[in-house]
Protein backbone atom coordinates (compact mmCIF):
# COMPACT_ATOMS: atom_id res chain seq x y z
CA UNK A 1 0.00 0.00 0.00
CA UNK A 2 1.19 3.47 -0.81
CA UNK A 3 2.90 5.28 2.07
CA UNK A 4 0.59 7.57 4.03
CA UNK A 5 -2.62 5.71 3.19
CA UNK A 6 -4.57 3.03 5.00
CA UNK A 7 -7.35 0.69 3.91
CA UNK A 8 -10.58 0.16 5.84
CA UNK A 9 -12.25 -3.14 5.06
CA UNK A 10 -15.41 -4.76 6.38
CA UNK A 11 -16.58 -8.22 5.38
CA UNK A 12 -19.98 -9.76 4.75
CA UNK A 13 -20.29 -13.50 4.32
CA UNK A 14 -23.42 -15.35 3.28
CA UNK A 15 -23.11 -18.94 4.43
CA UNK A 16 -25.66 -21.51 3.37
CA UNK A 17 -26.72 -23.50 6.40
CA UNK A 18 -26.46 -27.25 5.92
CA UNK A 19 -30.16 -28.14 6.27
CA UNK A 20 -31.83 -30.67 4.00
CA UNK A 21 -34.91 -28.52 3.57
CA UNK A 22 -35.50 -24.81 3.06
CA UNK A 23 -35.89 -22.23 5.80
CA UNK A 24 -39.66 -21.66 5.61
CA UNK A 25 -41.00 -24.71 3.72
CA UNK A 26 -40.29 -28.43 3.31
CA UNK A 27 -38.68 -28.24 -0.15
CA UNK A 28 -35.29 -29.86 -0.63
CA UNK A 29 -32.21 -27.66 -0.69
CA UNK A 30 -30.34 -30.03 -3.02
CA UNK A 31 -29.01 -28.45 -6.20
CA UNK A 32 -28.51 -29.74 -9.69
CA UNK A 33 -32.15 -30.83 -10.01
CA UNK A 34 -34.46 -29.77 -12.86
CA UNK A 35 -35.14 -26.02 -12.65
CA UNK A 36 -38.01 -25.25 -10.29
CA UNK A 37 -38.37 -28.90 -9.25
CA UNK A 38 -37.87 -28.08 -5.57
CA UNK A 39 -40.57 -25.48 -5.14
CA UNK A 40 -43.95 -25.07 -3.43
CA UNK A 41 -46.42 -22.22 -2.87
CA UNK A 42 -44.28 -20.85 -0.01
CA UNK A 43 -40.97 -20.52 -1.86
CA UNK A 44 -42.74 -19.55 -5.10
CA UNK A 45 -44.23 -16.65 -3.16
CA UNK A 46 -47.82 -17.46 -4.07
CA UNK A 47 -50.46 -15.32 -2.34
CA UNK A 48 -51.76 -16.72 0.92
CA UNK A 49 -48.88 -19.17 1.47
CA UNK A 50 -47.47 -18.94 4.99
CA UNK A 51 -43.86 -19.48 6.09
CA UNK A 52 -42.99 -21.84 8.95
CA UNK A 53 -39.49 -21.66 10.44
CA UNK A 54 -37.34 -24.79 10.03
CA UNK A 55 -36.05 -25.84 13.47
CA UNK A 56 -32.75 -27.12 12.03
CA UNK A 57 -31.97 -23.59 10.84
CA UNK A 58 -31.98 -22.45 14.45
CA UNK A 59 -29.70 -25.31 15.47
CA UNK A 60 -27.15 -24.73 12.70
CA UNK A 61 -27.44 -20.98 13.15
CA UNK A 62 -26.64 -21.40 16.84
CA UNK A 63 -23.63 -23.61 16.13
CA UNK A 64 -22.34 -21.15 13.56
CA UNK A 65 -22.81 -18.24 15.98
CA UNK A 66 -20.98 -20.04 18.77
CA UNK A 67 -18.12 -21.06 16.47
CA UNK A 68 -17.66 -17.39 15.58
CA UNK A 69 -17.77 -16.06 19.11
CA UNK A 70 -21.18 -14.38 18.67
CA UNK A 71 -23.82 -13.94 21.34
CA UNK A 72 -27.12 -15.58 20.54
CA UNK A 73 -30.00 -13.22 21.25
CA UNK A 74 -32.88 -14.71 23.17
CA UNK A 75 -35.30 -12.94 20.89
CA UNK A 76 -34.86 -12.04 17.25
CA UNK A 77 -37.28 -10.69 14.67
CA UNK A 78 -37.73 -11.58 11.01
CA UNK A 79 -38.23 -8.60 8.74
CA UNK A 80 -39.19 -8.03 5.15
CA UNK A 81 -36.50 -6.51 2.99
CA UNK A 82 -38.36 -5.07 0.04
CA UNK A 83 -36.93 -4.95 -3.44
CA UNK A 84 -37.91 -6.11 -6.88
CA UNK A 85 -35.99 -8.65 -8.89
CA UNK A 86 -37.28 -11.46 -11.11
CA UNK A 87 -35.70 -14.12 -8.87
CA UNK A 88 -37.63 -12.79 -5.86
CA UNK A 89 -41.31 -13.42 -6.64
CA UNK A 90 -42.65 -12.16 -3.31
CA UNK A 91 -41.10 -8.75 -3.88
CA UNK A 92 -39.34 -9.03 -0.54
CA UNK A 93 -36.76 -11.22 1.12
CA UNK A 94 -37.43 -12.50 4.63
CA UNK A 95 -34.37 -11.45 6.58
CA UNK A 96 -33.57 -9.94 9.95
CA UNK A 97 -32.84 -6.30 10.54
CA UNK A 98 -32.70 -4.49 13.87
CA UNK A 99 -33.03 -7.60 16.02
CA UNK A 100 -30.73 -10.23 14.54
CA UNK A 101 -30.32 -13.83 15.66
CA UNK A 102 -26.83 -13.19 17.04
CA UNK A 103 -24.58 -10.18 17.56
CA UNK A 104 -21.54 -8.60 19.25
CA UNK A 105 -18.99 -11.27 18.48
CA UNK A 106 -15.27 -11.25 18.98
CA UNK A 107 -13.21 -13.66 16.98
CA UNK A 108 -9.47 -14.18 17.26
CA UNK A 109 -7.90 -15.15 13.95
CA UNK A 110 -4.29 -15.83 13.02
CA UNK A 111 -3.14 -13.60 10.21
CA UNK A 112 0.02 -12.70 8.33
CA UNK A 113 1.05 -10.52 5.42
CA UNK A 114 2.55 -12.41 2.45
CA UNK A 115 5.66 -11.72 0.42
CA UNK A 116 5.63 -11.40 -3.37
CA UNK A 117 5.63 -15.20 -3.72
CA UNK A 118 2.55 -15.48 -1.52
CA UNK A 119 4.58 -16.86 1.39
CA UNK A 120 3.26 -15.96 4.81
CA UNK A 121 5.64 -14.01 7.00
CA UNK A 122 4.75 -14.17 10.66
CA UNK A 123 1.31 -15.27 11.84
CA UNK A 124 -0.06 -13.19 14.70
CA UNK A 125 -3.41 -13.20 16.48
CA UNK A 126 -5.88 -10.44 15.61
CA UNK A 127 -9.29 -9.81 17.13
CA UNK A 128 -12.11 -9.19 14.67
CA UNK A 129 -15.35 -7.69 15.90
CA UNK A 130 -18.31 -9.41 14.33
CA UNK A 131 -21.31 -7.14 14.39
CA UNK A 132 -23.95 -9.76 13.74
CA UNK A 133 -25.02 -12.96 12.09
CA UNK A 134 -28.64 -12.89 11.06
CA UNK A 135 -30.78 -15.57 9.43
CA UNK A 136 -32.45 -15.09 6.08
CA UNK A 137 -33.70 -16.83 2.97
CA UNK A 138 -31.81 -16.93 -0.30
CA UNK A 139 -33.34 -15.65 -3.54
CA UNK A 140 -33.70 -17.70 -6.73
CA UNK A 141 -31.44 -17.51 -9.73
CA UNK A 142 -31.80 -15.71 -13.04
CA UNK A 143 -30.34 -17.61 -15.95
CA UNK A 144 -29.53 -15.73 -19.13
CA UNK A 145 -29.08 -17.47 -22.44
CA UNK A 146 -26.21 -16.36 -24.66
CA UNK A 147 -24.34 -13.08 -24.81
CA UNK A 148 -26.20 -9.84 -24.09
CA UNK A 149 -26.33 -8.91 -27.82
CA UNK A 150 -27.80 -12.24 -28.90
CA UNK A 151 -29.77 -12.82 -25.73
CA UNK A 152 -33.28 -13.95 -26.53
CA UNK A 153 -34.44 -15.54 -23.31
CA UNK A 154 -33.91 -15.21 -19.60
CA UNK A 155 -35.12 -17.81 -17.14
CA UNK A 156 -35.91 -17.88 -13.46
CA UNK A 157 -34.97 -20.94 -11.40
CA UNK A 158 -36.43 -20.89 -7.89
CA UNK A 159 -34.80 -24.08 -6.57
CA UNK A 160 -32.48 -21.93 -4.51
CA UNK A 161 -35.23 -19.58 -3.29
CA UNK A 162 -35.78 -20.09 0.41
CA UNK A 163 -32.47 -21.81 1.10
CA UNK A 164 -31.35 -20.80 4.61
CA UNK A 165 -28.45 -18.40 4.96
CA UNK A 166 -26.50 -16.94 7.84
CA UNK A 167 -25.25 -13.48 6.95
CA UNK A 168 -22.12 -12.68 8.93
CA UNK A 169 -21.17 -9.01 9.08
CA UNK A 170 -17.96 -7.68 10.62
CA UNK A 171 -16.97 -4.21 11.74
CA UNK A 172 -14.55 -2.51 9.37
CA UNK A 173 -11.61 -3.96 11.30
CA UNK A 174 -9.43 -5.19 8.46
CA UNK A 175 -6.52 -3.10 7.24
CA UNK A 176 -5.18 -5.38 4.53
CA UNK A 177 -6.38 -7.85 1.93
CA UNK A 178 -4.49 -10.69 3.63
CA UNK A 179 -6.28 -10.09 6.91
CA UNK A 180 -9.58 -10.45 5.04
CA UNK A 181 -8.22 -13.57 3.35
CA UNK A 182 -7.24 -15.19 6.65
CA UNK A 183 -10.58 -14.22 8.16
CA UNK A 184 -12.65 -15.85 5.42
CA UNK A 185 -10.59 -19.02 5.64
CA UNK A 186 -11.04 -19.04 9.39
CA UNK A 187 -14.81 -18.66 9.09
CA UNK A 188 -15.03 -21.28 6.37
CA UNK A 189 -13.14 -23.82 8.45
CA UNK A 190 -15.07 -23.05 11.64
CA UNK A 191 -18.46 -23.46 9.92
CA UNK A 192 -17.45 -26.75 8.32
CA UNK A 193 -16.01 -27.94 11.60
CA UNK A 194 -19.25 -27.57 13.54
CA UNK A 195 -21.34 -28.86 10.63
CA UNK A 196 -23.28 -25.60 10.27
CA UNK A 197 -22.40 -25.18 6.59
CA UNK A 198 -20.50 -26.99 3.84
CA UNK A 199 -18.94 -23.56 3.30
CA UNK A 200 -17.69 -24.45 -0.19
CA UNK A 201 -17.08 -21.29 -2.19
CA UNK A 202 -16.91 -23.15 -5.49
CA UNK A 203 -20.39 -24.52 -4.98
CA UNK A 204 -21.61 -21.08 -3.98
CA UNK A 205 -22.61 -22.03 -0.46
CA UNK A 206 -20.18 -19.49 0.94
CA UNK A 207 -20.32 -16.10 -0.74
CA UNK A 208 -18.37 -13.13 0.45
CA UNK A 209 -18.44 -9.42 -0.14
CA UNK A 210 -15.93 -6.82 0.93
CA UNK A 211 -16.56 -3.17 1.70
CA UNK A 212 -13.42 -1.27 0.91
CA UNK A 213 -12.43 2.35 1.41
CA UNK A 214 -9.15 4.12 1.95
CA UNK A 215 -8.10 7.19 3.88
CA UNK A 216 -4.97 9.09 4.78
CA UNK A 217 -3.26 7.79 7.90
CA UNK A 218 -4.47 9.90 10.85
CA UNK A 219 -7.73 10.88 9.15
CA UNK A 220 -10.79 10.25 11.35
CA UNK A 221 -13.58 10.39 8.81
CA UNK A 222 -14.34 7.61 6.37
CA UNK A 223 -14.30 8.23 2.67
CA UNK A 224 -16.74 6.66 0.20
CA UNK A 225 -16.66 2.89 0.20
CA UNK A 226 -17.04 0.38 -2.58
CA UNK A 227 -18.75 -2.96 -2.20
CA UNK A 228 -16.98 -5.81 -3.98
CA UNK A 229 -19.10 -8.74 -5.16
CA UNK A 230 -18.75 -11.78 -7.36
CA UNK A 231 -15.73 -13.05 -5.46
CA UNK A 232 -15.67 -16.74 -6.36
CA UNK A 233 -12.67 -17.80 -4.34
CA UNK A 234 -10.80 -16.50 -1.34
CA UNK A 235 -7.80 -15.81 -3.54
CA UNK A 236 -9.84 -13.77 -6.04
CA UNK A 237 -11.30 -11.87 -3.13
CA UNK A 238 -7.84 -11.01 -1.86
CA UNK A 239 -6.74 -9.88 -5.32
CA UNK A 240 -9.90 -7.80 -5.82
CA UNK A 241 -9.40 -6.01 -2.49
CA UNK A 242 -5.75 -5.36 -3.30
CA UNK A 243 -6.64 -3.96 -6.70
CA UNK A 244 -9.43 -1.84 -5.24
CA UNK A 245 -7.17 -0.30 -2.58
CA UNK A 246 -4.68 0.82 -5.23
CA UNK A 247 -7.44 2.06 -7.55
CA UNK A 248 -9.02 4.18 -4.83
CA UNK A 249 -5.73 5.68 -3.65
CA UNK A 250 -4.88 6.63 -7.23
CA UNK A 251 -8.36 8.14 -7.77
CA UNK A 252 -8.14 10.23 -4.57
CA UNK A 253 -4.66 11.41 -5.41
CA UNK A 254 -5.76 12.41 -8.91
CA UNK A 255 -8.56 14.43 -7.31
CA UNK A 256 -11.26 12.32 -8.99
CA UNK A 257 -12.75 10.91 -5.79
CA UNK A 258 -14.41 7.50 -5.43
CA UNK A 259 -18.12 6.97 -5.88
CA UNK A 260 -20.15 4.78 -3.55
CA UNK A 261 -20.95 1.77 -5.72
CA UNK A 262 -20.91 -1.97 -6.13
CA UNK A 263 -18.11 -3.38 -8.23
CA UNK A 264 -17.45 -6.84 -9.58
CA UNK A 265 -14.19 -8.72 -9.83
CA UNK A 266 -13.36 -9.36 -13.46
CA UNK A 267 -11.04 -12.34 -13.24
CA UNK A 268 -10.12 -12.29 -16.94
CA UNK A 269 -8.76 -8.77 -16.81
CA UNK A 270 -7.67 -8.83 -13.17
CA UNK A 271 -9.58 -5.70 -12.22
CA UNK A 272 -12.81 -4.53 -10.67
CA UNK A 273 -15.60 -2.92 -12.69
CA UNK A 274 -18.84 -1.11 -11.82
CA UNK A 275 -21.99 -3.17 -11.34
CA UNK A 276 -24.41 -0.60 -9.91
CA UNK A 277 -24.61 2.30 -7.54
CA UNK A 278 -25.23 1.19 -3.98
CA UNK A 279 -28.59 1.30 -2.21
CA UNK A 280 -28.85 2.50 1.37
CA UNK A 281 -30.66 0.44 3.99
CA UNK A 282 -33.64 2.83 4.01
CA UNK A 283 -34.27 2.04 0.34
CA UNK A 284 -35.36 -1.44 1.40
CA UNK A 285 -38.19 -0.27 3.69
CA UNK A 286 -37.59 -3.00 6.22
CA UNK A 287 -40.57 -3.84 8.43
CA UNK A 288 -41.32 -6.79 10.74
CA UNK A 289 -42.59 -9.90 8.94
CA UNK A 290 -46.23 -10.21 10.05
CA UNK A 291 -46.44 -13.92 9.17
CA UNK A 292 -43.75 -15.04 11.60
CA UNK A 293 -43.57 -14.93 15.37
CA UNK A 294 -40.50 -13.46 17.02
CA UNK A 295 -37.86 -16.17 17.24
CA UNK A 296 -37.29 -17.01 20.91
CA UNK A 297 -34.45 -19.29 21.94
CA UNK A 298 -34.21 -20.39 25.55
CA UNK A 299 -31.10 -20.28 27.71
CA UNK A 300 -31.36 -24.06 27.98
CA UNK A 301 -31.26 -24.40 24.20
CA UNK A 302 -28.14 -22.26 24.01
CA UNK A 303 -26.52 -24.34 26.76
CA UNK A 304 -27.39 -27.56 24.91
CA UNK A 305 -25.80 -26.20 21.75
CA UNK A 306 -22.70 -25.14 23.67
CA UNK A 307 -22.38 -28.62 25.12
CA UNK A 308 -22.50 -30.11 21.62
CA UNK A 309 -19.69 -27.94 20.28
CA UNK A 310 -16.58 -29.88 19.29
CA UNK A 311 -13.09 -28.61 20.00
CA UNK A 312 -12.64 -25.81 17.44
CA UNK A 313 -9.81 -25.90 14.91
CA UNK A 314 -7.66 -23.17 16.46
CA UNK A 315 -7.89 -24.74 19.90
CA UNK A 316 -6.95 -28.06 18.35
CA UNK A 317 -3.97 -26.48 16.59
CA UNK A 318 -2.69 -25.03 19.87
CA UNK A 319 -3.16 -28.39 21.58
CA UNK A 320 -1.30 -30.24 18.82
CA UNK A 321 1.57 -27.78 19.20
CA UNK A 322 1.70 -28.33 22.95
CA UNK A 323 0.93 -32.06 23.15
CA UNK A 324 2.67 -33.31 20.03
CA UNK A 325 5.37 -30.71 19.76
CA UNK A 326 4.37 -29.68 16.23
CA UNK A 327 5.38 -26.39 14.62
CA UNK A 328 2.69 -23.76 14.01
CA UNK A 329 2.90 -24.40 10.25
CA UNK A 330 2.55 -28.17 10.51
CA UNK A 331 -0.26 -27.98 13.06
CA UNK A 332 -2.05 -25.38 10.92
CA UNK A 333 -1.84 -27.62 7.88
CA UNK A 334 -3.19 -30.58 9.81
CA UNK A 335 -6.17 -28.66 11.18
CA UNK A 336 -6.87 -27.25 7.71
CA UNK A 337 -9.30 -30.12 7.32
CA UNK A 338 -11.39 -31.81 9.98
CA UNK A 339 -10.95 -35.34 8.63
CA UNK A 340 -7.19 -34.95 8.25
CA UNK A 341 -7.01 -33.69 11.84
CA UNK A 342 -8.94 -36.70 13.12
CA UNK A 343 -6.78 -39.08 11.06
CA UNK A 344 -3.65 -37.46 12.41
CA UNK A 345 -4.70 -37.64 16.02
CA UNK A 346 -5.48 -41.36 15.75
CA UNK A 347 -2.18 -42.06 13.95
CA UNK A 348 -0.12 -39.96 16.35
CA UNK A 349 -1.50 -41.76 19.38
CA UNK A 350 -1.46 -45.27 17.95
CA UNK A 351 2.11 -44.96 16.64
CA UNK A 352 3.48 -43.22 19.71
CA UNK A 353 5.47 -40.98 17.35
CA UNK A 354 3.53 -37.78 16.62
CA UNK A 355 6.48 -36.07 14.91
CA UNK A 356 7.11 -38.76 12.29
CA UNK A 357 3.37 -39.22 11.84
CA UNK A 358 3.05 -35.52 10.98
CA UNK A 359 6.01 -35.62 8.58
CA UNK A 360 4.73 -38.62 6.66
CA UNK A 361 1.17 -37.34 6.64
CA UNK A 362 1.99 -33.90 5.35
CA UNK A 363 4.22 -35.28 2.61
CA UNK A 364 2.95 -38.61 1.29
CA UNK A 365 -0.54 -38.92 2.66
CA UNK A 366 -1.80 -35.42 1.87
CA UNK A 367 -0.33 -35.67 -1.62
CA UNK A 368 -2.19 -38.95 -2.23
CA UNK A 369 -5.39 -37.33 -0.97
CA UNK A 370 -4.95 -34.42 -3.36
CA UNK A 371 -4.14 -36.69 -6.29
CA UNK A 372 -7.13 -38.91 -5.70
CA UNK A 373 -9.59 -36.20 -4.69
CA UNK A 374 -10.48 -38.30 -1.66
CA UNK A 375 -11.16 -37.10 1.84
CA UNK A 376 -9.09 -38.50 4.70
CA UNK A 377 -12.02 -40.54 6.00
CA UNK A 378 -12.38 -42.20 2.58
CA UNK A 379 -8.77 -43.37 2.50
CA UNK A 380 -8.25 -47.13 2.06
CA UNK A 381 -5.22 -46.75 4.30
CA UNK A 382 -6.66 -46.42 7.79
CA UNK A 383 -5.13 -44.28 10.50
CA UNK A 384 -4.33 -47.47 12.43
CA UNK A 385 -2.44 -48.95 9.48
CA UNK A 386 -0.68 -45.66 9.00
CA UNK A 387 0.45 -45.87 12.62
CA UNK A 388 1.72 -49.39 11.98
CA UNK A 389 3.96 -48.07 9.19
CA UNK A 390 5.35 -45.39 11.50
CA UNK A 391 6.05 -48.02 14.18
CA UNK A 392 7.78 -50.36 11.74
CA UNK A 393 9.94 -47.46 10.62
CA UNK A 394 10.79 -46.61 14.24
CA UNK A 395 11.82 -50.20 14.89
CA UNK A 396 14.34 -49.91 12.07
CA UNK A 397 12.69 -52.69 10.05
CA UNK A 398 12.14 -50.42 7.06
CA UNK A 399 13.72 -47.17 5.97
CA UNK A 400 12.07 -43.83 5.28
CA UNK A 401 11.72 -44.29 1.53
CA UNK A 402 10.19 -47.70 2.03
CA UNK A 403 7.72 -46.24 4.52
CA UNK A 404 6.66 -43.72 1.88
CA UNK A 405 6.26 -46.45 -0.72
CA UNK A 406 4.10 -48.48 1.62
CA UNK A 407 1.87 -45.48 2.31
CA UNK A 408 1.27 -44.95 -1.40
CA UNK A 409 0.65 -48.66 -2.06
CA UNK A 410 -1.70 -49.15 0.90
CA UNK A 411 -3.53 -45.92 0.11
CA UNK A 412 -4.23 -46.99 -3.44
CA UNK A 413 -4.89 -50.71 -2.93
CA UNK A 414 -6.11 -50.99 0.64
CA UNK A 415 -3.53 -53.72 1.29
CA UNK A 416 -2.26 -53.93 4.86
CA UNK A 417 1.25 -52.54 5.44
CA UNK A 418 2.43 -56.02 6.49
CA UNK A 419 1.32 -57.45 3.14
CA UNK A 420 3.01 -54.66 1.19
CA UNK A 421 6.24 -55.16 3.15
CA UNK A 422 6.18 -58.88 2.36
CA UNK A 423 5.30 -58.41 -1.31
CA UNK A 424 7.96 -55.82 -1.89
CA UNK A 425 10.51 -57.73 0.18
CA UNK A 426 11.10 -54.70 2.39
CA UNK A 427 11.63 -56.56 5.64
CA UNK A 428 15.10 -55.67 6.85
CA UNK A 429 17.35 -58.38 8.20
CA UNK A 430 18.18 -57.44 11.78
CA UNK A 431 19.10 -60.93 12.83
CA UNK A 432 22.68 -60.57 14.05
CA UNK A 433 23.52 -64.20 13.25
CA UNK A 434 22.59 -63.85 9.59
CA UNK A 435 24.44 -60.57 9.21
CA UNK A 436 27.49 -61.95 10.99
CA UNK A 437 27.74 -64.72 8.40
CA UNK A 438 27.77 -62.19 5.58
CA UNK A 439 30.36 -60.06 7.36
CA UNK A 440 32.68 -63.04 7.88
CA UNK A 441 32.40 -63.86 4.21
CA UNK A 442 33.23 -60.29 3.17
CA UNK A 443 36.25 -60.12 5.49
CA UNK A 444 37.54 -63.42 4.13
CA UNK A 445 37.20 -62.34 0.49
CA UNK A 446 38.76 -58.88 0.83
CA UNK A 447 42.04 -59.49 2.59
CA UNK A 448 43.83 -56.46 1.05
CA UNK A 449 41.15 -54.01 2.13
CA UNK A 450 41.02 -55.52 5.60
CA UNK A 451 44.73 -55.07 6.03
CA UNK A 452 44.60 -51.51 4.73
CA UNK A 453 41.76 -50.68 7.11
CA UNK A 454 43.54 -52.20 10.06
CA UNK A 455 46.63 -50.28 8.95
CA UNK A 456 44.77 -47.01 9.50
CA UNK A 457 42.74 -46.34 6.31
CA UNK A 458 39.45 -45.76 8.10
CA UNK A 459 37.75 -44.49 4.99
CA UNK A 460 37.49 -48.09 3.88
CA UNK A 461 34.77 -48.71 6.46
CA UNK A 462 32.19 -47.46 3.97
CA UNK A 463 33.43 -50.01 1.47
CA UNK A 464 32.67 -52.86 3.88
CA UNK A 465 29.22 -51.51 4.67
CA UNK A 466 28.52 -51.30 0.95
CA UNK A 467 29.66 -54.89 0.39
CA UNK A 468 27.44 -56.22 3.18
CA UNK A 469 24.43 -54.27 1.94
CA UNK A 470 25.04 -55.56 -1.57
CA UNK A 471 25.34 -59.15 -0.38
CA UNK A 472 22.11 -58.82 1.61
CA UNK A 473 20.33 -57.21 -1.37
CA UNK A 474 19.84 -54.06 0.66
CA UNK A 475 17.85 -55.78 3.37
CA UNK A 476 20.39 -55.79 6.19
CA UNK A 477 19.62 -53.34 8.95
CA UNK A 478 22.39 -50.72 8.58
CA UNK A 479 22.63 -50.18 12.32
CA UNK A 480 23.31 -53.85 13.02
CA UNK A 481 25.74 -54.03 10.07
CA UNK A 482 27.75 -51.14 11.50
CA UNK A 483 27.96 -52.70 14.94
CA UNK A 484 29.05 -56.10 13.71
CA UNK A 485 31.58 -54.69 11.23
CA UNK A 486 33.16 -52.55 13.93
CA UNK A 487 33.58 -55.46 16.32
CA UNK A 488 34.94 -57.85 13.69
CA UNK A 489 37.33 -55.44 12.04
ZN1 LIG B 1 -40.91 -24.60 -0.96
MN1 LIG C 1 -28.17 -10.89 2.85
Amino acid sequence: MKEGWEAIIGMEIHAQLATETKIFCGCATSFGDEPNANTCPVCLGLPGALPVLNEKVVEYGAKAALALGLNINEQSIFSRKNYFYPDLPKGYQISQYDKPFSSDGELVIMTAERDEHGRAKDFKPMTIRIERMHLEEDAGKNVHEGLPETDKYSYVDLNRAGTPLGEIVTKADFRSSWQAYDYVNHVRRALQWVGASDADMEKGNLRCEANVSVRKVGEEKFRNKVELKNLNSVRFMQKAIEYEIERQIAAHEAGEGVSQETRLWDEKNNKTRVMRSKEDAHDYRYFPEPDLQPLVVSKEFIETMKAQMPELPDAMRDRFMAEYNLSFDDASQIIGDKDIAAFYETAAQASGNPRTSANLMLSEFVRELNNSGKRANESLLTAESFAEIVKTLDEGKINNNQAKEIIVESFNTGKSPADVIREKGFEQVSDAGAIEKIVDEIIKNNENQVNAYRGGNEKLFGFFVGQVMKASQGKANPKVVNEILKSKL
Side-chain angles (χ1 to χ4, degrees):
M1 201 173 322
K2 197 162 178 204
E3 188 92 28
W5 288 89
E6 69 173 347
I8 315 286
I9 305 158
M11 296 297 303
E12 286 176 30
I13 295 178
H14 283 87
Q16 184 191 327
L17 301 175
T19 58
E20 282 171 19
T21 55
K22 295 184 180 179
I23 182 168
F24 299 123
C25 63
C27 295
T29 50
S30 61
F31 292 142
D33 294 331
E34 281 282 291
N36 298 305
N38 303 325
T39 53
C40 73
V42 174
C43 54
L44 289 172
L46 300 188
L50 291 173
V52 177
L53 180 61
N54 179 348
E55 207 177 348
K56 272 279 174 193
V57 169
V58 184
E59 185 186 320
Y60 291 149
K63 287 183 175 162
L66 293 171
L68 300 175
L70 282 149
N71 292 309
I72 299 169
N73 296 316
E74 285 181 40
Q75 190 184 83
S76 60
I77 304 282
F78 285 102
S79 291
R80 291 187 180 180
K81 180 181 181 179
N82 298 283
Y83 67 97
F84 171 78
Y85 213 57
D87 63 14
L88 189 73
K90 295 198 296 291
Y92 59 86
Q93 175 194 26
I94 304 180
S95 180
Q96 294 185 312
Y97 184 49
D98 50 353
K99 290 202 169 131
F101 177 72
S102 58
S103 52
D104 303 314
E106 281 201 347
L107 184 67
V108 178
I109 64 164
M110 296 301 288
T111 183
E113 294 306 305
R114 313 297 203 269
D115 65 15
E116 64 272 28
H117 308 291
R119 278 193 295 258
K121 287 170 193 162
D122 192 12
F123 277 93
K124 288 198 178 72
M126 176 184 185
T127 302
I128 305 299
R129 292 169 301 160
I130 304 185
E131 198 171 285
R132 57 194 277 145
M133 184 196 73
H134 64 254
L135 304 174
E136 61 181 28
E137 60 178 345
D138 206 348
K141 216 160 118 184
N142 294 322
V143 186
H144 307 291
E145 198 175 65
L147 297 164
E149 311 83 68
T150 59
D151 196 359
K152 289 232 175 77
Y153 299 100
S154 285
Y155 304 91
V156 178
D157 178 2
L158 294 173
N159 279 347
R160 205 179 67 181
T163 296
L165 303 174
E167 182 178 331
I168 306 151
V169 184
T170 71
K171 299 274 192 197
D173 282 348
F174 305 95
R175 293 291 174 272
S176 80
S177 59
W178 289 112
Q179 290 171 357
Y181 176 90
D182 289 326
Y183 164 76
V184 174
N185 279 328
H186 182 111
V187 170
R188 184 168 65 160
R189 196 166 53 226
L191 296 182
Q192 280 172 350
W193 210 269
V194 300
S197 171
D198 296 338
D200 186 339
M201 277 182 97
E202 274 170 37
K203 290 191 182 131
N205 50 35
L206 193 88
R207 306 195 284 268
C208 53
E209 290 154 37
N211 290 300
V212 182
S213 68
V214 297
R215 68 180 173 192
K216 284 259 175 71
V217 173
E219 222 169 65
E220 296 254 320
K221 267 178 61 182
F222 294 113
R223 302 191 181 203
N224 275 353
K225 67 180 177 194
V226 162
E227 185 183 48
L228 296 176
K229 280 191 184 237
N230 197 29
L231 309 168
N232 298 326
S233 77
V234 196
R235 186 73 172 108
F236 284 154
M237 178 202 78
Q238 184 273 327
K239 280 185 177 173
I241 294 173
E242 201 61 42
Y243 175 88
E244 190 56 24
I245 291 170
E246 301 308 322
R247 186 190 72 83
Q248 290 185 18
I249 292 174
H252 285 304
E253 289 198 328
E256 292 160 7
V258 166
S259 31
Q260 190 119 330
E261 62 196 8
T262 300
R263 295 176 76 91
L264 299 176
W265 177 243
D266 178 347
E267 59 182 75
K268 273 201 200 98
N269 299 305
N270 266 315
K271 54 194 237 177
T272 63
R273 59 181 165 82
V274 186
M275 178 189 178
R276 59 165 185 246
S277 64
K278 174 74 186 150
E279 309 85 352
D280 278 326
H282 60 251
D283 296 334
Y284 289 120
R285 300 265 169 183
Y286 279 97
F287 66 86
E289 164 63 64
D291 292 338
L292 286 164
Q293 300 273 354
L295 169 57
V296 177
V297 292
S298 65
K299 283 204 173 83
E300 293 75 40
F301 173 80
I302 297 172
E303 288 311 312
T304 309
M305 291 296 111
K306 276 186 185 161
Q308 286 179 16
M309 291 292 277
E311 180 183 31
L312 290 172
D314 279 32
M316 190 179 266
R317 180 200 59 222
D318 293 347
R319 184 169 61 79
F320 282 0
M321 288 167 69
E323 256 175 49
Y324 301 136
N325 212 3
L326 299 187
S327 68
F328 176 84
D329 285 349
D330 286 354
S332 298
Q333 275 197 64
I334 288 171
I335 58 109
D337 179 279
K338 195 179 183 179
D339 294 327
I340 289 180
F343 190 104
Y344 171 73
E345 180 124 63
T346 307
Q349 288 178 356
S351 69
N353 189 338
R355 183 66 263 165
T356 303
S357 297
N359 289 345
L360 286 173
M361 263 193 79
L362 291 174
S363 55
E364 307 306 302
F365 184 67
V366 169
R367 191 195 60 223
E368 289 305 310
L369 285 179
N370 290 339
N371 289 347
S372 64
K374 277 185 187 163
R375 300 195 51 82
N377 58 352
E378 297 164 345
S379 158
L380 295 175
L381 169 65
T382 62
E384 288 76 13
S385 293
F386 186 93
E388 209 180 300
I389 299 171
V390 175
K391 267 197 207 155
T392 314
L393 174 64
D394 275 346
E395 287 160 7
K397 290 183 182 160
I398 51 171
N399 64 36
N400 207 45
N401 285 335
Q402 291 170 332
K404 290 179 175 178
E405 242 183 272
I406 299 164
I407 289 172
V408 175
E409 182 73 12
S410 291
F411 182 91
N412 288 304
T413 63
K415 284 180 193 159
S416 75
D419 284 348
V420 178
I421 289 171
R422 207 168 308 120
E423 277 172 30
K424 293 200 181 249
F426 280 168
E427 194 87 50
Q428 285 190 354
V429 179
S430 300
D431 172 17
I435 294 174
E436 221 167 305
K437 256 193 205 156
I438 299 173
V439 170
D440 288 342
E441 192 80 358
I442 301 281
I443 290 178
K444 207 175 85 190
N445 295 339
N446 296 279
E447 217 174 303
N448 292 343
Q449 283 87 346
V450 173
N451 290 334
Y453 179 79
R454 288 182 177 151
N457 187 353
E458 290 189 6
K459 280 187 195 152
L460 274 171
F461 191 75
F463 163 80
F464 294 108
V465 175
Q467 291 297 307
V468 179
M469 293 311 284
K470 201 171 148 195
S472 73
Q473 290 167 319
K475 288 181 193 168
N477 182 334
K479 226 175 106 192
V480 181
V481 172
N482 274 308
E483 281 164 15
I484 294 177
L485 268 173
K486 272 197 186 127
S487 73
K488 297 244 170 195
L489 283 168

